[in-house]
Amino acid sequence: VPADERRFDSNNSFGEKESMRTCSAIMKETGALIEISSSKDQSLTFLVTGKQDSVMDARRRILSTFQTQASSKVSIPKEHHRWILGKSGTRLKELEKNTATKITVPPIADSSEEIIVTGTKEGIEKAVHQIQVISDEQSKKAFERITIPKVYHPFICGAYNENINNLMAETGTRINVPPSSSQVDVITIAGEKEGVASAKERIMKTYQSMEQKYATVGVEVSKMQHKYVHGPKGTGIAEILQLTGVSVEMPPLDSQKETITLRGPQDKLGSALNMVYGKANSVQAATVDAPSWIHKYIIGRKGRQHQTNNTGSQ
């Protein structure tokens, strides 16, 4: 759980003791074993072990408790809702468990088509993607699944999704590319038969061209500096892709790996590498020893002072 997405407890502190009590309660309720640790940047790492169902349940509870929540609405044809629910709601429960989200489907008597997904940003992205794929599968229009290695998805989407949006507009299709946080290779295309065929052909040509020509290079960057390369909502890596045509692959937040991988035209890797280093070094962190009694004054009410300090230092 990144520091800037952590929930503050009622004492306006990071509350290690309270965190341990909460984890103990989750372990008791789920049967999973949880280990918690805090990094220098105040991010939290949880190691959850046990039976798969117990681990997934514990993960969902941990994220809903320790990480700030958001919500998103997705409009899905009413006749497709039953496929999202599944028999006796089993498919919906599975979706919620796999994405650590809460998914609210309007009752049958309600004419609304909006499904509400609540959870972390990554969880919402995964859930919305899966919901849209389920809906597209039930559509009477043409539907295709194509497997493209995930590392090539950024090039198919383009910076700020420009390529994929243009392709959908030109072919009249809906193309679902898994979110970056998901380890899924399958891209789905739905629409009229000719449009789907055209979109599929263009995506495959792009992929095959990239597979032959593109090179990769790995660079070591301190884990604490990764967020500055990534940028808010991925704007940092999107800018690099837009300006150089090189994708930046970041290791997962819960990974200890510090290697950032650059992939793209060989003659552009140098420029992209310079941009990565520039962003990584744009903000520096330092450790300051301060007695525990002063922490609550630094953090402030509901973390406001902490957020102000962060803003002022950037």
Side-chain angles (χ1 to χ4, degrees), residues 95-141:
L95 266 175
E96 290 181 324
K97 184 171 69 174
N98 291 338
T99 60
T101 58
K102 172 65 178 174
I103 303 171
T104 305
V105 179
I108 296 175
D110 190 334
S111 61
S112 174
E113 294 188 339
E114 287 188 340
I115 293 175
I116 301 173
V117 184
T118 304
T120 64
K121 177 178 174 290
E122 285 189 1
I124 290 172
E125 287 179 345
K126 292 177 183 177
V128 168
H129 170 72
Q130 291 184 40
I131 288 169
Q132 288 177 330
V133 169
I134 292 170
S135 176
D136 287 344
E137 284 179 320
Q138 302 309 317
S139 173
K140 293 180 180 179
K141 296 181 179 180

Side-chain angles (χ1 to χ4, degrees), residues 151-160 162-163 206 209-211 213-216 236-249 261-273 275-276:
V151 293
Y152 295 106
H153 290 190
F155 304 106
I156 291 167
C157 291
Y160 307 104
E162 290 175 354
N163 293 353
T206 300
S209 173
M210 291 184 301
E211 190 180 32
K213 299 177 182 177
Y214 283 16
T216 61
I237 57 179
E239 181 186 8
I240 295 172
L241 179 60
Q242 185 179 51
L243 296 179
T244 67
V246 173
S247 77
V248 180
E249 299 165 19
T261 302
L262 307 184
R263 187 183 308 272
Q266 194 163 6
D267 61 340
K268 299 293 184 180
L269 290 176
S271 299
L273 187 60
M275 290 187 71
V276 167

Side-chain angles (χ1 to χ4, degrees), residues 16-62:
E16 284 76 9
K17 291 183 180 179
E18 182 63 29
S19 297
M20 292 302 296
R21 282 195 291 268
T22 302
C23 285
S24 295
I26 294 174
M27 285 192 286
K28 186 176 180 180
E29 293 167 359
T30 64
L33 180 64
I34 303 171
E35 296 178 40
I36 179 174
S37 61
S38 178
S39 302
K40 287 183 179 180
D41 63 354
Q42 295 296 344
S43 62
L44 291 177
T45 300
F46 297 87
L47 176 63
V48 187
T49 55
K51 294 181 179 179
Q52 186 174 3
D53 286 348
S54 298
V55 169
M56 296 299 287
D57 189 20
R59 176 177 176 270
R60 181 181 62 80
R61 291 169 185 256
I62 288 169

Side-chain angles (χ1 to χ4, degrees), residues 155-205:
F155 304 106
I156 291 167
C157 291
Y160 307 104
N161 288 322
E162 290 175 354
N163 293 353
I164 206 73
N165 287 338
N166 289 337
L167 183 57
M168 287 192 290
E170 291 168 11
T171 60
T173 58
R174 183 158 84 173
I175 304 172
N176 281 312
V177 180
S180 58
S181 57
S182 173
Q183 300 305 310
V184 177
D185 293 330
V186 177
I187 294 173
T188 64
I189 311 170
E192 298 298 333
K193 187 175 181 179
E194 288 184 3
V196 169
S198 175
K200 178 182 178 181
E201 182 183 7
R202 289 168 64 174
I203 289 173
M204 292 303 297
K205 280 185 178 179

